[in-house]
Each structure stands twice: as structure tokens, then as C-alpha cells.
Amino acid sequence: MNAEVEPVQAKPKKSKTVIWLWGIIPLVLLVGIIALLSNLGTGIKDKAVAPIEALDIQRIILTDEGFTLKVLNTGPEAVTIAQVVVNDAFWNADFHPGPTVGRFGETEIRIPYGWVEADPYSIVLITTNGLLFTGEVPLAVMTPELDPNRFLQYGLIGIYVGVVPVGLGLLWFPFMRRFSDRGIQAVLALTVGLLLFLAIDTFQEGFELGAASPGIFQGTSLVWLAALLSFLFLLAVDQSNSKNGAVSGRAAAYKIAGGIGLHNLGEGLAIGAAFAAGNAALGTFLIIGFTLHNITEGVGIAAPMLKERPGWRTFLALAVLAGGPAILGTWTGGFLFNPTLSALFFGIGAGAILQVVYVISKMMLREAGKSGSPAVSWSNFTGLALGVAIMYATAILVN
């Protein structure tokens, strides 16, 4: 007789409530531990050290009435400002909303002071614990106000620096269309050289702004993380919207224009900040230098489309996409400059440019495979080196 086989009973499935409990319990315990440490402390009875206070003077505005300071508390505890010193002299000041600033809180300090144009000033904030925080005015000049006339002037500067030179560079498109396949590959390599220089320059500018931002925001790390996330985000968009990772020439041109646009946003910030600081000579110098520097960007944008026939609307859209952010940058630098946000934008721009380098490099490899020619030929190497050299030479005009 065959032994009867008893049916295997299925294991009862855990209820969703139990599963959710296992996910919540560690979080509840973690909150409890943190609350316990906050209330009872660690048990170590060392002597108290000096208080940890951190005030960041974000901006100093010069008006007819005197100085106005925008102050942010980036320390772990509330800070009370007891005294204000201007050029080694104690001075009265009004605080809005008050002299005590909580963590991540802001206050506005208005100092009635008859400053003299072109003179330097040092403003020191003294807390109740005796710590000093200094803000410098290297060259006293009236801070520009947001009015329609200046708003229009800054917008025109952005057009001169961004849209116009990129548009002039795009005018080389009919000439470049006459190139052979080998010549087109060299132009694509030149584009990679241009973009590599822009990526390095964008990182450098971002790191400088990150170092100038409050330490609690970790400006340098912010640039790296923004660049990484920007690169991966655009890479994911490419892979989800294209077959086998292939990108059309027109799509690649828009990607290049977008990455360059983020870089030009930073150029606008530099120009606007120079005019806001009263350094019109530097601002004019930057306008001329960036204009010459940005003409070559139009060549790089047009390069992927040399085997296509885009219409004039496409070229107009590319010029606005690549150059338009310079307008926004000039407005922001002139009226609302913030080093932390600027560092974030530079990081995003650097990641976007590197992703475009990746796309163009894949395009070159694909075209080289079709024609049976080497991807790193002497003409391609020359084009890449020439792109870096052109950007380096024109950057000297700005620095």
C-alpha cells in the first residue's frame, strides 16, 4: 500500500500590521534614545567650555541712512548680539525682529552711520558671551535698489553676455556643414574640449562660493553632491527616453545648450555682484571678457547637428537656452546674491556639462564604429586639445 502523503500546510502570511510594526519600532526606539540623551546627558562631568556661537553676515547694504546687515545664526544655540562696533567705535543699532537670534534664525541690523563713499569700513558684532563676528566693506558705495531702470539694464547686460555671443557662434553652422565625416568628428572632439574646460571652471567657481558660504551648509560637499545627482538624473532621463542610449543630434544640441546655460548663469552672477559692489570697471571688464569667451560655445552647440537640417526656430531656442540664464544670473547677482545657492547651481551645472560630455563621447564612438575609423584619431585629439586651448585663452581675458 502506498503511504498517504499528508498535504503540506502553507505557512500563514504575516499580516501587514505586523510588518509595518517591524518598520516603525526601530524609529520609535531611536527617538526614545535621542530624547533620553537630550534630557539626562552622557554622564560626563567635564567643566563647561567656551560657548559655540556662529553668526554669518550674509549681506551688508549701504543706504542713505547708514548700514543694513542681514545676519543668519548658523550655530547650535541662540545668540544675543550685545554691541555693534563700526571702525573701532561703538555704535547704536536697531534690530528687527530683535538682538536674540535663534538657530537658523535671521535678524536685520540697521546702523545709522554717515559713511563716506569709497572709504573702507569694518563692522563687528559682539555677542553677550564676548565673541566677535566681523563684516567688511572694502569700498563704500550705495547698494543699487531694485527699480525698473536698473532691472532693464541688468537684463540687457545678460543678453549681451549670453544670448548674443552664443547666437554669433551658431552662425558658423552653414560653414561647418561642408566638413567631411572626419571633419565633423574633429568638431565634435572640439566640443568635448570646450565642455571639459567649462566643467572644470564650473567646479572651481562652485568651490570658491562654497568656501564663502556658512560652514554649516558644507558648501564644497554641496557642489560635489549636486554635480553627482545632476549627472545621474540626466543620465536616467536619457536612458528612459532613448533607444539603446542613442541621442539625436538635435537632442544633444539642446543638452549642450542647457549645460552651458547653467554655466552662464554663474557668469551673470559674477557680473551682477561686481556692479552691486560698486565696481563698475570690473563689471565692464567681465562683460567684454565673457562675451568673447562665449562665442565659441555656439560652435559646440551646433556641432552635433551638422548632419541634420534644423530650422531657424531651433537656433533661436538654443541661443536663448544657453545664453538666457546669464540674464537671470545678472539679476540675482545684482540684487539677491547668496553664495550657498550659487554654489548649488554651479554644482548642478557641472554635473549637467559632464553628462553632455558623456553623451557626445558616446556619439563619437558610435560614428567611429560605423565608419571603421579610430575614435581617438590625430584629428580628434587635435580638435579636443584645440577646444581646451581656445577656452583657456579666452578665459585669460576674464581673469
Side-chain angles (χ1 to χ4, degrees):
M1 293 179 64
N2 294 330
E4 293 183 2
V5 179
E6 295 182 0
V8 179
Q9 294 182 352
K11 295 181 180 180
K13 294 183 178 179
K14 293 182 179 180
S15 65
K16 291 183 178 180
T17 304
V18 175
I19 295 175
W20 277 106
L21 282 175
W22 280 114
I24 295 174
I25 286 174
L27 296 177
V28 174
L29 293 175
L30 177 63
V31 172
I33 292 172
I34 293 175
L36 188 65
L37 288 173
S38 300
N39 293 325
L40 301 180
T42 60
I44 300 175
K45 302 297 183 180
D46 289 342
K47 293 182 179 180
V49 294
I52 301 174
E53 296 180 338
L55 289 178
D56 179 64
I57 302 175
Q58 295 187 296
R59 195 178 185 196
I60 302 178
I61 301 171
L62 279 68
T63 65
D64 291 328
E65 290 74 26
F67 303 108
T68 299
L69 278 64
K70 306 285 186 179
V71 180
L72 173 68
N73 178 7
T74 57
E77 300 175 352
V79 178
T80 299
I81 302 171
Q83 295 174 316
V84 175
V85 178
V86 180
N87 279 8
D88 299 326
F90 290 96
W91 214 263
N92 293 327
D94 296 323
F95 299 86
H96 302 273
T100 299
V101 191
R103 178 172 169 80
F104 291 124
E106 291 182 308
T107 191
E108 183 178 276
I109 306 175
R110 297 173 185 172
I111 307 171
Y113 191 95
W115 54 272
V116 178
E117 188 172 5
D119 280 358
Y121 292 92
S122 175
I123 302 174
V124 180
L125 307 180
I126 306 177
T127 71
T128 52
N129 290 311
L131 298 183
L132 309 180
F133 299 93
T134 304
E136 300 289 344
V137 180
L139 185 71
V141 64
M142 187 78 70
T143 302
E145 297 181 357
L146 179 57
D147 59 71
N149 184 42
R150 187 171 289 271
F151 187 82
L152 179 61
Q153 289 176 341
Y154 282 177
L156 290 175
I157 289 173
I159 293 174
Y160 298 150
V161 171
V163 179
V164 171
V166 172
L168 291 176
L170 288 170
L171 291 178
W172 271 309
F173 179 78
F175 170 72
M176 292 189 298
R177 276 182 58 86
R178 298 177 176 272
F179 292 175
S180 63
D181 289 344
R182 184 178 178 182
I184 292 175
Q185 284 279 306
V187 174
L188 289 174
L190 182 140
T191 301
V192 172
L194 299 176
L195 294 175
L196 283 175
F197 184 92
L198 286 180
I200 295 172
D201 186 60
T202 304
F203 269 119
Q204 182 178 354
E205 295 289 342
F207 293 147
E208 290 178 1
L209 289 168
S213 66
I216 194 170
F217 297 128
Q218 304 178 57
T220 302
S221 299
L222 188 65
V223 175
W224 282 116
L225 293 173
L228 177 63
L229 292 177
S230 172
F231 177 85
L232 294 177
F233 173 79
L234 294 173
L235 192 62
V237 170
D238 270 354
Q239 292 178 349
S240 61
N241 294 336
S242 58
K243 297 180 179 179
N244 300 323
V247 179
S248 67
R250 189 169 306 187
Y254 275 107
K255 291 179 183 297
I256 295 174
I260 289 175
L262 290 171
H263 175 83
N264 288 341
L265 174 70
E267 295 181 353
L269 286 171
I271 294 172
F275 280 104
N279 200 338
L282 174 61
T284 304
F285 179 75
L286 291 175
I287 292 172
I288 297 172
F290 284 139
T291 300
L292 295 173
H293 185 62
N294 292 345
I295 289 178
T296 54
E297 295 173 353
V299 176
I301 295 171
M305 302 187 296
L306 294 180
K307 293 186 177 182
E308 301 179 7
R309 293 184 176 275
W312 65 270
R313 291 185 180 86
T314 299
F315 288 107
L316 180 60
L318 290 170
V320 173
L321 180 60
I327 303 172
L328 299 177
T330 306
W331 285 334
T332 304
F335 301 119
L336 304 168
F337 183 73
N338 184 302
T340 305
L341 288 178
S342 300
L344 174 64
F345 286 129
F346 271 106
I348 294 173
I353 293 172
L354 288 177
Q355 197 272 339
V356 176
V357 170
Y358 174 77
V359 170
I360 300 299
S361 300
K362 285 184 65 177
M363 183 182 295
M364 292 177 60
L365 291 172
R366 186 173 64 250
E367 294 298 323
K370 290 180 180 178
S371 61
S373 58
V376 187
S377 61
W378 281 111
S379 58
N380 289 356
F381 173 78
T382 303
L384 188 146
L386 183 61
V388 174
I390 290 173
M391 296 302 283
Y392 181 83
T394 54
I396 293 176
L397 299 174
V398 182
N399 302 321

